[in-house]
Amino acid sequence: MLRELRMAHLALVDEAVLPLDHGLTMLTGETGAGKSLVAGALSLLAGGKADPKLIREGEELAWVEGVFDLEQNEAALAACAGLGVRVGSDGVLVLRRELRREGRGRVLINGLVSSQALLEDIGGRLVAIQSQDQQRQLARPAFAREFLDAALGLDSELAAVRAAVAAHQAAAAALAGRQREVDFARRQQEIWSYQHRELVEMRLRDGEVEQLDEDLAVGRNARGLLEAAGRALQDLSDGQPAADALLGSAEKALAPLEQTSARLGAALRLVRDAEEAVGEAAADLRRFVDGLDIDPTRLDEWEERRAQYQSLCRKYQRDVPGLIALREELAQQLERQRSSVDDLRVLEDGLKAAAAEAALAAAALRKSRRDGAPNVARRAAELIRPLALPDLELRFEIEPDLYASGPIELDGSRCRLTGNGADLVRLRVRTNRGEAPGEVGAIASGGERSRIWLGLSVLADRQAERPLLLFDEIDSGLGMDNARPVAALLARLAEGRQVICITHLATVAVKGERHWVVRKAARGRRTVLAVTEVTAEERVQEVARLHTLFRRHLGHRQHGPAAE
């Protein structure tokens, strides 16, 4: 809700602060006093057009600020969070609009510079102005459908449709994705088959390249390796004297004295370790010499095999483990392509089943709309006829949203499908007996549209966000008797929400829970506008003034200027 409306240097206003609360607030004042300025200020907070001409003469900057309390408005808080607007734990949101005579104005949200688009989104959720927004809403293509669904409480039917549409979209996306994959694989299959065959025929083994490098190094240096290994073996074991014999002699000399000295014992252990190491080295060298039987033809085979590995690694820009992984990937892709016919058939069946489910949900929603629409139209007409529209007739037209390539078929026709179903819903009205019905925006006057909107708002007041509503002279052109039902509906609409009504009629003004009066006053050489709340005797006097003005105006209309 809007806790406080502040403005400065706007038209005739120097500075004004208007505290607000729940319920119905009336705004009155003399003709030309500036009552519509409040509507203009709220329009600026809702993202309306900013005109530099609104800046007070002699000032360079004008501003409007709204302090909103969103603590109990979970929908608005969620919307702010979704738009990246941070609201504190106290739930307070401050919207500020600045107008500059030179240069561009600014938008501030909770003290941070923001954008006009963001203000329109957030402000439009919190403030709705009858003179602009509501009449424009009536002409919006989706209005009739949204109103009818809200009035009938079709939340569960809409949820079922949206779930079915989401499932259908997911099935269509899965089929389209698999089809793209199949089409791509079909173009690539020959290449993949060749690559897979080449890698399979290579009989890749992890670690084989390293073994080939070792074998080639040995084969290319066999003579030198044999000579070096023979000399080493001679020194370690076969020569006179050999290292193993010398170490054995040293071990025999030291062993009897091992317990005599700790240092001698440590040296003996090193000798024994060296003797063991020499034995192992000699055994390895003997095995190396005995096993080194190089066939020159094998060298050529190893060279060729090594070259094959190098060629494949260069070709595919991968190492050997990467080539092995590629071989497995290609095998999987080829196998997946072989199963593509079955996959596509399963996905197509899934899409058909999802379309059938979506059609059932859309058909159920259409039936609920058609079954409930006459009763909603009747109830709305009963609410609105007393508002000086005695001959009003309302009718909802619910037709298929035909589309030749639509995803579902309903009542024998292909239809476009959205989360709101497969229907086009239109509200047809007739305000005068004997006339043809038509779109409300085309055949109703401004005052008639305002009263039609009021009746519809009362009937379908289920909005989670419940914005502040401002009705600007909704009683225009009405007499006191005809205005009474308007006032009663305004009071009904204001239950549990904020409604501001600018009025000239006493019968409307008395229904308000609070009452503001706009007055002009002279301050020095300047005219200023003041908005003050009136209570008790002051309010009685203001209502009496409105009554007197109306009677005088009525007499003027009946008898002409001479009667005055």
Side-chain angles (χ1 to χ4, degrees):
M1 63 174 291
L2 179 60
R3 287 291 185 189
E4 205 167 69
L5 177 64
R6 308 164 181 165
M7 60 186 93
H9 310 315
L10 197 67
L12 297 179
V13 174
D14 268 344
E15 289 190 17
V17 178
L18 283 67
L20 292 103
D21 207 337
H22 284 295
L24 180 58
T25 298
M26 292 296 173
L27 181 64
T28 64
E30 295 180 0
T31 302
K35 297 184 296 299
S36 293
L37 185 62
V38 174
L42 288 172
S43 175
L44 289 172
L45 293 181
K49 183 178 179 180
D51 188 348
K53 293 179 182 178
L54 291 173
I55 301 174
R56 184 167 172 76
E57 185 67 28
E59 302 290 344
E60 295 299 319
L61 171 70
W63 55 266
V64 178
E65 196 169 79
V67 181
F68 293 86
D69 181 358
L70 306 184
E71 190 172 8
Q72 304 300 320
N73 194 336
E74 294 183 4
L77 287 171
C80 288
L83 294 167
V85 175
R86 298 185 62 182
V87 179
S89 58
D90 57 1
V92 173
L93 176 71
V94 180
L95 303 182
R96 181 183 174 97
R97 186 82 177 273
E98 296 181 352
L99 287 68
R100 298 181 183 275
R101 198 176 297 279
E102 299 292 337
R104 300 181 62 181
R106 290 198 309 171
V107 170
L108 292 95
I109 299 179
N110 275 354
L112 301 177
V113 176
S114 189
S115 67
Q116 173 77 8
L118 191 58
L119 179 69
E120 289 178 9
D121 197 326
I122 295 177
R125 297 171 185 268
L126 302 176
V127 177
I129 302 172
Q130 169 271 328
S131 59
Q132 301 173 21
D133 300 284
Q134 295 172 11
Q135 292 185 22
R136 186 162 60 240
Q137 287 288 315
L138 286 173
R140 199 165 49 84
F143 170 77
R145 172 182 51 75
E146 292 173 357
F147 169 79
L148 179 62
D149 291 347
L152 291 173
L154 299 181
D155 295 344
S156 60
E157 289 87 345
L158 285 166
V161 168
R162 286 164 187 161
V165 169
H168 180 268
Q169 290 173 341
L175 175 59
R178 186 70 178 101
Q179 187 64 63
R180 287 193 299 271
E181 182 183 349
V182 168
D183 292 342
F184 176 74
R186 187 178 296 118
R187 295 191 296 271
Q188 294 293 111
Q189 188 167 10
E190 184 176 346
I191 295 174
W192 289 348
S193 296
Y194 170 79
Q195 291 175 337
H196 181 257
R197 186 168 57 253
E198 182 178 42
L199 294 173
V200 168
E201 291 174 352
M202 182 64 181
R203 299 185 306 281
L204 300 163
R205 294 200 313 275
D206 197 10
E208 185 180 4
V209 170
E210 291 77 7
Q211 184 60 50
L212 286 170
D213 288 340
E214 170 70 13
D215 292 344
L216 285 169
V218 170
R220 291 166 182 160
N221 301 280
R223 183 182 297 276
L225 291 171
L226 279 173
E227 290 177 355
R231 286 196 302 271
L233 186 59
Q234 187 77 12
D235 291 338
L236 292 177
S237 178
D238 297 342
Q240 291 296 330
D244 58 353
L246 293 174
L247 288 169
S249 176
E251 193 270 340
K252 288 179 181 179
L254 295 173
L257 303 174
E258 181 178 2
Q259 302 303 321
T260 304
S261 167
R263 292 173 61 188
L264 185 64
L268 178 59
R269 286 193 294 275
L270 290 175
V271 169
R272 286 170 176 167
D273 290 344
E275 186 179 14
E276 183 179 354
V278 167
E280 291 177 359
D284 283 346
L285 285 171
R286 188 167 285 107
R287 284 192 294 271
F288 177 81
V289 171
D290 293 343
L292 192 61
D293 182 16
I294 302 300
D295 183 352
T297 60
R298 293 295 303 279
L299 284 175
D300 295 337
E301 292 175 2
W302 294 339
E303 292 279 6
E304 183 180 356
R305 182 71 172 168
R306 185 66 178 84
Q308 288 174 342
Y309 268 108
Q310 290 176 332
S311 176
L312 283 179
C313 289
R314 285 195 301 269
K315 179 177 181 179
Y316 292 102
Q317 296 295 302
R318 298 185 182 213
D319 58 12
V320 175
L323 291 175
I324 294 172
L326 176 60
R327 182 185 64 194
E328 301 309 315
E329 291 170 11
L330 291 170
Q332 292 173 5
Q333 288 169 339
L334 291 170
E335 179 59 32
R336 184 166 171 77
Q337 183 65 2
R338 283 191 286 271
S339 66
S340 61
V341 173
D342 291 338
D343 289 350
L344 291 174
R345 185 182 300 111
V346 169
L347 291 171
E348 287 167 357
D349 291 344
L351 180 59
K352 290 176 183 177
E357 289 295 322
L360 286 174
L365 177 60
R366 177 178 294 177
K367 184 177 186 304
S368 296
R369 284 170 173 163
R370 286 178 171 172
D371 289 348
N375 185 48
V376 172
R378 177 185 57 77
R379 289 162 52 206
E382 289 173 353
L383 275 173
I384 299 170
R385 282 175 188 144
L387 309 182
L389 289 166
D391 297 320
L392 178 74
E393 292 184 14
L394 295 173
R395 183 176 78 248
F396 288 96
E397 292 182 352
I398 302 166
E399 300 173 345
D401 189 0
L402 299 176
Y403 184 52
S405 302
I408 63 171
E409 183 174 320
L410 280 182
D411 299 334
S413 302
R414 303 301 297 184
C415 296
R416 185 179 282 105
L417 177 67
T418 71
N420 297 307
D423 303 329
L424 294 175
V425 181
R426 299 182 180 88
L427 177 61
R428 300 292 186 183
V429 302
R430 178 163 56 199
T431 56
N432 297 298
R433 188 176 301 174
E435 298 297 324
E439 297 281 354
V440 63
I443 68 171
S445 66
E448 290 171 338
R449 287 196 298 270
S450 296
R451 297 194 292 279
I452 290 171
W453 171 264
L454 173 60
L456 296 178
S457 298
V458 170
L459 187 62
D461 185 25
R462 301 173 66 249
Q463 301 179 68
E465 296 180 21
R466 298 176 67 82
L468 179 150
L469 298 179
L470 185 140
F471 290 89
D472 190 357
E473 299 188 8
I474 192 173
D475 51 19
S476 177
L478 298 180
M480 285 193 177
D481 290 340
N482 286 332
R484 286 191 178 94
V486 172
L489 276 187
L490 284 169
R492 179 175 166 183
L493 185 61
E495 294 174 359
R497 77 183 310 158
Q498 287 182 300
V499 176
I500 300 175
C501 179
I502 299 173
T503 182
H504 288 287
L505 294 179
T507 49
V508 175
V510 295
K511 288 290 186 180
E513 298 173 59
R514 279 161 301 283
H515 194 146
W516 295 339
V517 177
V518 180
R519 299 186 179 94
K520 286 182 181 178
R523 184 181 297 169
R525 297 183 178 181
R526 302 294 300 273
T527 299
V528 296
L529 193 70
V531 184
T532 56
E533 185 173 2
V534 294
T535 58
E537 183 60 30
E538 282 186 297
R539 186 177 183 190
V540 172
Q541 291 176 3
E542 176 63 12
V543 171
R545 184 188 70 81
L546 293 174
H547 181 74
T548 301
L549 285 176
F550 178 79
R551 300 296 296 179
R552 186 181 302 165
H553 177 68
L554 185 63
H556 179 79
R557 289 174 56 191
Q558 290 177 345
H559 305 293
E564 296 295 320

